[in-house]
């Protein structure tokens, strides 16, 4: 009789762990979708950042575009790649909802999430440095702030950084959630 009650208790514990892992997997899916939207919005906002000043000369046309600066190009590419990765990883996240005890795919997801986090961080950091220079300039090197003239361009590029840094935060949470779910398998 005693052995039966122990087995029944273990079954109840296994169902609880299974339910918690399923809840973590659902939250993982939601975070992936939100991060996908953040990276997509950041790439589109920066990729469409363009402003021409209302005055120009016959020789010089005053225009600011994202593709004039290599750091902004890298930012758009890195956000686009992470966006595609997040779209593809949604299928694995759905698989984890169905099979909450899957371990090897969670390890793969943790490794790939970490790689994409590094890629996203490097693109956002490079763009943030340029946006900082555009807003504040650097008087010791005679780089002047261009945001007084190109206000729309600067607002758009700074806004795209918000989505990217938000997606970085969500990627960190995704790695933590996957680690917690893996430890409970």
């Amino acid at each position: 009789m005693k052995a039966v009650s122990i087995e029944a208790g273990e079954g109840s514990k296994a169902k609880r762990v299974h339910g918690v892992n399923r809840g973590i997997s659902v939250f993982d899916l939601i975070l992936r979708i939100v991060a996908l939207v953040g990276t997509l919005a950041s790439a589109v906002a920066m990729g469409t950042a363009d402003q021409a000043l209302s005055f120009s000369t016959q020789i010089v046309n005053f225009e600011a575009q994202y593709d004039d600066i290599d750091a902004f190009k890298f930012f758009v590419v890195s956000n686009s790649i992470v966006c595609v990765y997040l779209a593809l990883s949604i299928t694995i996240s759905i698989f984890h909802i169905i099979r909450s005890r899957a371990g090897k795919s969670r390890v793969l997801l943790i490794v790939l999430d970490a790689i994409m986090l590094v890629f996203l961080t490097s693109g956002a950091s490079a763009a943030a440095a340029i946006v900082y220079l555009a807003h504040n300039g650097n008087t010791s090197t005679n780089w002047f702030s261009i945001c007084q003239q190109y206000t729309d361009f600067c607002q758009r590029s700074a806004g795209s950084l918000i989505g990217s840094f938000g997606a970085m935060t969500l990627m960190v949470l995704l790695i933590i959630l996957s680690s917690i779910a893996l430890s409970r398998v």
Side-chain angles (χ1 to χ4, degrees), residues 24-46:
I24 289 173
S25 297
V26 169
F27 192 54
D28 181 88
L29 176 66
I30 292 168
L31 289 181
R32 283 186 192 283
I33 292 170
V34 173
L36 182 139
V37 170
T39 56
L40 179 64
S42 293
V44 169
M46 183 67 80

Side-chain angles (χ1 to χ4, degrees), residues 69-110:
I69 301 170
D70 289 334
F72 287 167
K73 288 182 197 176
F74 179 60
F75 177 81
V76 171
V77 169
S78 65
N79 273 284
S80 300
I81 289 172
V82 173
C83 181
V84 169
Y85 162 74
L86 286 168
L88 295 174
S89 70
I90 286 175
T91 57
I92 298 173
S93 186
I94 292 171
F95 173 74
H96 287 154
I97 293 172
I98 297 168
R99 297 195 119 205
S100 61
R101 299 186 68 80
K104 292 179 183 177
S105 59
R106 286 197 193 273
V107 171
L108 176 67
L109 214 53
I110 290 171

Side-chain angles (χ1 to χ4, degrees), residues 5 38 40 53-54 59 65 84-85 98 142 156:
S5 65
L40 179 64
L53 295 181
S54 58
I59 300 170
Q65 295 177 335
V84 169
Y85 162 74
I98 297 168
N142 290 330
R156 193 169 194 111

Side-chain angles (χ1 to χ4, degrees), residues 92-159:
I92 298 173
S93 186
I94 292 171
F95 173 74
H96 287 154
I97 293 172
I98 297 168
R99 297 195 119 205
S100 61
R101 299 186 68 80
K104 292 179 183 177
S105 59
R106 286 197 193 273
V107 171
L108 176 67
L109 214 53
I110 290 171
V111 170
L112 292 175
D113 284 349
I115 291 169
M116 291 299 141
L117 175 63
V118 169
F119 198 50
L120 188 62
T121 303
S122 62
S125 299
I130 299 300
V131 168
Y132 177 80
L133 281 176
H135 279 280
N136 299 322
N138 188 341
T139 55
S140 63
T141 57
N142 290 330
W143 290 343
F144 301 107
S145 170
I146 66 163
C147 286
Q148 294 170 353
Q149 292 83 18
Y150 298 100
T151 55
D152 293 341
F153 177 79
C154 288
Q155 287 177 353
R156 193 169 194 111
S157 59

